[in-house]
Amino acid sequence: MKILITGCHGQVGYCLVQRLNKRTGVEVIAYDREDLDITNSEQVSTIIAQLKPSVIINAAAHTAVDKAETDIDQSYAINYEGPLYLAKAAKAIDALLLHISTDYVFDGTKQDPYNENDVTGPQGVYGKSKLAGEQAVEEHCSLYAILRTAWVFGEVGNNFVKTMLKLGADRPELGIIGDQFGGPTYAGDIADALIVMMDKFAESNSDLSGVYHFSGAPHVSWYEFACEIFSQVQVHNVLKSVPKVNEITAEQYPLPAPRPANSRLDCSKIESVFGVTPSDWKFALTNIAEYKQ
């Protein structure tokens, strides 16, 4: 099996490469933007036609949520045009395309966790561009899975856990938002979920194409997430001292891009179809020292 991974230096892409390289009978082609610019239609179609991978996993994305509000063209180029070109190229060679999306495609006003059939309503450029990417994949690819996830963190790249460790080392007190809720999701668990999905597609006689939700449990606020991070910091003596964490509202900490108040995702569909259970994010934090780089 030949697998092409885009965005291989990102949080999920890195984990995918590490895991798949340990497999026998698998050829992993790991590309970052320097190797394959997914916003370049001709390059995408040419390279994929030459390589003929059986699976394409798109882990590339423009994830700078606030920057996207002004960097609109770049956000749409990477989050919409890239998936569009990959979808067309995948269809041309009958390859499976696994594409990562986000909770930001929802407006965050629903009281319960979002399922795959809920109406989308992104509030910012990032969410709008990611939704456009989803629609491009659905329209132009024959064999695909779109995996929506949320609050991603891992040992590689920029994320909330690393930000907390950095701020916690410098400040005695932190104010963290307590009225936005979601499921923190370990990047390694996303990689594992994608691999399980890939294997099931290869084994199944039925078409499993569609949208799936995968994120962590239990659902918490950013404030509760931060408290758990610093609890692990204390247990493992990662910092010299632990800051006091104060709960604040989103209104007290305005940002250029709106965030969904509710980012909780219902993951029952992916569990029933693929047997994939929600990410155990608390367990992923037990190696908290690995995030301090």
Side-chain angles (χ1 to χ4, degrees):
M1 180 184 288
K2 186 184 290 185
I3 304 168
L4 171 62
I5 300 170
T6 65
C8 67
H9 293 157
Q11 295 191 87
V12 178
Y14 174 84
C15 293
L16 280 165
V17 173
Q18 297 301 306
R19 284 156 171 74
L20 289 171
N21 274 339
K22 295 176 182 177
R23 277 197 167 193
T24 56
V26 170
E27 180 184 352
V28 179
I29 304 163
Y31 282 167
D32 212 339
R33 189 166 187 176
E34 293 76 17
D35 309 301
L36 174 60
D37 180 0
I38 65 170
T39 69
N40 185 321
S41 175
E42 185 177 348
Q43 190 181 87
V44 169
S45 60
T46 300
I47 288 178
I48 290 177
Q50 289 173 347
L51 293 173
K52 291 183 172 57
S54 49
V55 181
I56 301 168
I57 306 179
N58 182 32
H62 186 283
T63 57
V65 176
D66 291 321
K67 191 177 179 182
E69 292 299 306
T70 52
D71 199 3
I72 299 173
D73 290 345
Q74 183 75 343
S75 187
Y76 271 89
I78 297 172
N79 294 339
Y80 161 61
E81 292 175 16
L84 170 64
Y85 302 148
L86 289 170
K88 288 182 175 181
K91 183 176 182 179
I93 61 168
D94 295 319
L96 167 65
L97 175 60
L98 300 179
H99 173 66
I100 303 170
S101 193
T102 176
D103 57 295
Y104 276 68
V105 299
F106 298 112
D107 64 13
T109 59
K110 185 181 178 182
Q111 296 302 307
D112 299 317
Y114 283 94
N115 64 54
E116 291 82 354
N117 295 320
D118 282 323
V119 175
T120 53
Q123 299 298 294
V125 171
Y126 170 67
K128 290 174 182 177
S129 65
K130 290 294 288 183
L131 180 59
E134 286 189 12
Q135 293 167 340
V137 170
E138 289 179 303
E139 182 179 351
H140 295 282
C141 196
S142 302
L143 196 62
Y144 69 90
I146 295 165
L147 189 69
R148 291 177 182 151
T149 189
W151 295 22
V152 182
F153 70 95
E155 298 89 344
V156 173
N158 299 317
N159 54 66
F160 185 75
V161 176
K162 288 194 170 189
T163 298
M164 289 299 99
L165 292 177
K166 184 177 180 182
L167 293 177
D170 297 333
R171 303 180 187 180
E173 206 164 326
L174 297 174
I176 307 297
I177 292 172
D179 56 357
Q180 292 174 350
F181 298 87
T185 316
Y186 178 54
D189 291 338
I190 299 173
D192 288 336
L194 288 165
I195 293 169
V196 169
M197 295 171 78
M198 176 187 75
D199 290 341
K200 188 68 178 287
F201 265 92
E203 297 166 0
S204 179
N205 293 321
S206 58
D207 185 5
L208 303 174
S209 296
V211 179
Y212 297 89
H213 288 176
F214 176 73
S215 63
H219 294 137
V220 289
S221 67
W222 289 111
Y223 166 76
E224 291 168 322
F225 188 18
C227 289
E228 183 63 28
I229 291 167
F230 289 116
S231 174
Q232 291 296 329
V233 165
Q234 258 185 325
V235 170
H236 298 284
N237 297 313
V238 174
L239 300 177
K240 291 180 180 178
S241 61
V242 175
K244 179 184 178 184
V245 182
N246 299 313
E247 185 175 1
I248 62 172
T249 65
E251 190 176 356
Q252 290 175 284
Y253 191 70
L255 292 164
R259 267 73 170 169
N262 176 21
S263 283
R264 295 176 297 155
L265 299 178
D266 180 338
C267 301
S268 57
K269 180 182 176 183
I270 195 171
E271 185 166 2
S272 64
V273 175
F274 295 101
V276 172
T277 55
S279 172
D280 186 349
W281 63 267
K282 287 190 176 183
F283 177 76
L285 285 179
T286 57
N287 68 331
I288 192 75
E290 297 298 317
Y291 297 85
K292 191 173 182 294
Q293 300 171 1

